[in-house]
Amino acid sequence: MAYETVLVETRGKVGIVTLNRPKALNALSAELVRELGQALDAFEADSAIGAIVLTGSEKAFAAGADIKEMATKGYMDVYLADFITSGWERVTTCRKPIVAAVAGYALGGGCEVAMMCDFILAADTAKFGQPEITIGTIPGAGGTQRLTRAVGKAKAMEMVLTGRMMDAAEAERSGLVSRVVPAADLLAEAVKAAEKMAGLSLPVVMLAKEAVNRAFETTLAEGVRFERRLFHSTFATEDQKEGMAAFVEKRPPAFRNR
Ligand SMILES: CC(C)(O)CC(=O)SCCNC(=O)CCNC(=O)[C@H](O)C(C)(C)COP(=O)(O)OP(=O)(O)OC[C@H]1O[C@@H](n2cnc3c(N)ncnc32)[C@H](O)[C@@H]1OP(=O)(O)O
């Protein structure tokens, strides 16, 4: 598949998608979002891939939806096309784990796409924000919801109502990102985390991801019941037998994704 706006590569069991519109700070055009979806489809379908890294450039993970493409749209254009939902949420339906590796700006839709990933590793240069209010609109790809769940109401309100950006250190303190690393190490660290996941049992990793995501959708009691059922189901896998036998026998496990 030939891509124009993303670069796609593999390193062992890790698929890497790099957003690639450097002159527009990786603004998320319709074409880029479509190609991102195609790249994720390809990695999901590839049984050799166990985890995915989504990244951008040194200057920008992504500076948001493409404002030039969006500026003249009318209500019927955005309503009938269900603008933002269609295509963008492909990241949230990906069953394999996705790490966002963020350097530079992750603004508007860029911040929203990063938050759709399973976790965010940030370079010390990263800046997160929802500046839509400064251009006369509001977040439309989950920013008001996911940011609030990640950092709490006070910080989310300030960011959404004023457009203030958060730097990497504040993002880590606030729970938006899992870790901050030097910019030069960002991709290597993200690939290392992805390799770790890709070396585990894919079905069990998928179950774990599903269980954590359920925490955002349900009550504590329901979530705990759901988790217990998934936990029980791991005992039907060959990989649970292999993982525990390997521990007892003091050898590395050889998972077969079964
Ligand atoms: C998804 C929704 C619904 O939530 C909506 C959104 O995402 S709305 C978009 C939210 N994002 C923003 O408002 C950020 C817009 N960008 C900026 O504020 C600045 O570009 C910056 C602070 C990120 C960086 O500033 P600077 O270093 O001065 O670079 P620029 O000269 O401004 O930008 C370089 C180049 O990139 C183009 N650009 C940047 N962001 C976008 C964008 N979101 N859409 C389209 N194009 C963008 C910018 O226009 C420049 O290109 P040229 O005009 O020089 O060709």
Side-chain angles (χ1 to χ4, degrees), residues 23-25 27 59 63-68 105 107-109 112 131-132 139-140:
K23 288 188 184 142
L25 302 184
K59 184 155 185 202
D66 191 320
I67 299 169
K68 292 170 189 166
Y105 296 111
L107 301 181
E112 291 169 307
E132 289 88 344

Side-chain angles (χ1 to χ4, degrees), residues 16-93:
I16 304 174
V17 185
T18 304
L19 306 179
N20 188 35
R21 292 187 70 207
K23 288 188 184 142
L25 302 184
N26 292 330
L28 300 160
S29 63
E31 188 190 8
L32 184 151
V33 172
R34 191 176 57 252
E35 290 193 349
L36 170 59
Q38 288 169 343
L40 294 178
D41 288 344
F43 284 145
E44 286 260 69
D46 184 345
S47 60
I49 295 297
I52 298 163
V53 172
L54 177 59
T55 194
S57 68
E58 260 175 53
K59 184 155 185 202
F61 176 76
D66 191 320
I67 299 169
K68 292 170 189 166
E69 212 176 66
M70 186 168 52
T72 57
K73 285 186 194 292
Y75 175 77
M76 279 308 161
D77 300 321
V78 295
Y79 176 72
L80 292 176
D82 204 8
F83 179 53
I84 295 305
T85 300
S86 43
W88 289 59
E89 291 194 346
R90 177 65 187 92
V91 181
T92 64
T93 59

